Amino acid sequence: MWVWFHKLGSPPYAYRLAQRLQPWFLWSSVPLLLVAAVGGLWLVPPDYQQKDAFRIFYVHVPIASMSLGIYMFMAAAAAVGLVWRMKVGYAAAAAAAPIGAAFTVLALVTGSIWGRPMWGTWWVWDVRVTTETIMLFFYVGYLSLAKSFDDVSRADRTAAILAIVGSVNVPIVKYSVVWWNSLHQGSTVLKFGRPAMHSSMLWPFYIAMIAILLYVGGVLCFRIRAEILRRDRRTQWVADVL
Amino acid sequence: MDLVRFFEMGAYTLYVWCAYAATGLGLAVILWLGYKRLERERVDARRMRQLEEE
């Protein structure tokens, strides 16, 4: 385990691993995304209260969950960079930030589209919506901070601290609907105990979660490779790879 | 559920389609930007290598 971890800290090894994994992640996500979309749109029965509008669940929840997951990944990678001084850790954090920011925007957009028929408004300063928006600011802050220094290692360290501080917000987003009165519905699937949905409506959600996870893995491989190239462009191994 | 039933779903149909279209478009854009970023870094690294060799 530790040997693999230290090997992962080597930029050429991480670059080649990402290069090898990328097509597997991306190509396996495509059929799963299609199956999840067909299942969510056509095959599951409508909800007894929300009728067909609940079908947005199959895109909104995986996207929103992933926006939190990517943040935790980014903070963990930044912490690895800070503690073990691994360049690959910083590269992974910098690679995850734009993907996470885009997923947060998508979660807010799909949530807004779901909110219009269910809540009667596109936007409300509800605690879940507000904390998710704060997370978007952390992503944007990280990206801005990472670009505001000429010295890459200084930018990495400073942005990593912000990423770690911002991870405090992740459990607040997750449990906001439990801790406070919220217009947003409570957790349906990703909670302790049994899911609050019938199994006939659950299967596209699980497929969508796996598909989105694989998709994120694929895009992350693209960006990790780009970040490693940016940091190591003067080295001999990059010349060999290119 | 058949296609006719889906298009008869009423007012919610538009919202559902908009959410799925926004997600599909978003995922496509994220993938495209990731690919372009990698291409740019490869070109930059190659150019730098050429300049150093010259």
Side-chain angles (χ1 to χ4, degrees), chain A residues 26 40-42 50-53 55-56 58-59 102-103 106 110 113 116-117 215 219 222-223 225-227 229-230 233-235 239 242, chain B residues 1-3 5-6 9 12 15-20 22-23 26-28 30-31 33-35 37-38 41-42 44-46 48-49 52:
Chain A
L26 286 177
L41 281 170
W42 282 290
Q50 300 193 24
K51 308 295 177 211
D52 286 301
R55 293 174 195 282
I56 298 172
Y58 299 106
V59 288
F103 266 69
L106 267 183
T110 52
I113 295 171
R116 182 69 187 90
Y215 168 88
V219 182
F222 265 130
R223 287 198 172 264
R225 285 170 65 197
E227 284 296 333
L229 280 186
R230 185 169 76 91
R233 57 170 62 142
R234 287 175 187 278
T235 57
L242 296 175
Chain B
M1 184 198 297
D2 60 25
L3 213 58
R5 160 81 184 86
F6 183 75
M9 286 193 312
Y12 294 151
Y15 294 111
V16 174
W17 276 116
C18 281
Y20 276 70
T23 305
L27 295 183
I30 293 167
L31 185 63
L33 291 177
Y35 169 74
R37 173 76 206 282
L38 177 61
E41 291 300 338
R42 286 165 81 156
D44 284 355
R46 256 189 231 121
M48 186 164 280
R49 175 68 46 185
E52 280 175 0

Side-chain angles (χ1 to χ4, degrees), chain A residues 62-85:
Chain A
I63 295 279
S65 312
M66 210 50 73
S67 69
L68 296 176
I70 295 170
Y71 197 95
M72 287 315 290
F73 173 84
M74 182 179 87
V80 165
L82 268 182
V83 174
W84 282 282
R85 298 182 186 275

Side-chain angles (χ1 to χ4, degrees), chain A:
Chain A
M1 173 70 186
W2 282 107
V3 175
W4 182 76
F5 181 72
H6 283 287
K7 267 168 81 176
L8 205 60
S10 151
Y13 179 81
Y15 182 90
R16 291 194 181 100
L17 184 69
Q19 192 172 22
R20 228 175 297 146
L21 290 176
Q22 182 185 299
W24 290 97
F25 281 147
L26 286 177
W27 286 113
S28 55
S29 75
V30 173
L32 291 175
L33 279 172
L34 289 174
V35 169
V38 170
L41 281 170
W42 282 290
L43 301 179
V44 296
D47 181 65
Y48 83 103
Q49 269 184 327
Q50 300 193 24
K51 308 295 177 211
D52 286 301
F54 104 99
R55 293 174 195 282
I56 298 172
F57 169 83
Y58 299 106
V59 288
H60 173 69
V61 179
I63 295 279
S65 312
M66 210 50 73
S67 69
L68 296 176
I70 295 170
Y71 197 95
M72 287 315 290
F73 173 84
M74 182 179 87
V80 165
L82 268 182
V83 174
W84 282 282
R85 298 182 186 275
M86 273 191 192
K87 268 199 295 188
V88 175
Y90 290 131
I99 306 171
F103 266 69
T104 310
V105 170
L106 267 183
L108 291 170
V109 168
T110 52
S112 179
I113 295 171
W114 198 0
R116 182 69 187 90
M118 290 301 108
W119 299 344
T121 179
W122 295 102
W123 186 267
V124 60
W125 290 105
D126 172 79
V127 65
R128 172 59 73 80
V129 184
T130 308
T131 48
E132 182 80 7
T133 309
I134 290 169
M135 198 172 69
L136 177 63
F137 293 150
F138 273 111
Y139 274 125
V140 173
Y142 177 92
L143 288 166
S144 315
L145 209 52
K147 284 195 192 307
S148 34
F149 295 92
D150 290 330
D151 179 11
V152 175
S153 59
R154 199 168 162 211
D156 280 340
R157 281 198 307 274
T158 316
I161 291 166
L162 179 68
I164 294 164
V165 169
S167 66
V168 171
N169 187 48
V170 174
I172 297 175
V173 178
K174 170 71 184 155
Y175 294 106
S176 56
V177 289
V178 179
W179 294 339
W180 292 284
N181 283 323
S182 171
L183 199 55
H184 194 284
Q185 67 191 61
S187 294
T188 312
V189 185
L190 304 170
K191 61 171 190 163
F192 293 112
R194 287 183 60 191
M197 273 176 96
H198 191 260
S199 57
S200 65
M201 299 162 100
L202 262 181
W203 66 268
F205 169 75
Y206 288 132
I207 294 176
M209 280 299 286
I210 295 167
I212 294 284
L213 197 63
L214 290 168
Y215 168 88
V216 169
V219 182
L220 204 55
C221 285
F222 265 130
R223 287 198 172 264
I224 286 177
R225 285 170 65 197
E227 284 296 333
I228 291 174
L229 280 186
R230 185 169 76 91
R231 287 164 166 76
D232 273 15
R233 57 170 62 142
R234 287 175 187 278
T235 57
Q236 186 56 44
W237 76 266
V238 168
D240 298 340
V241 162
L242 296 175

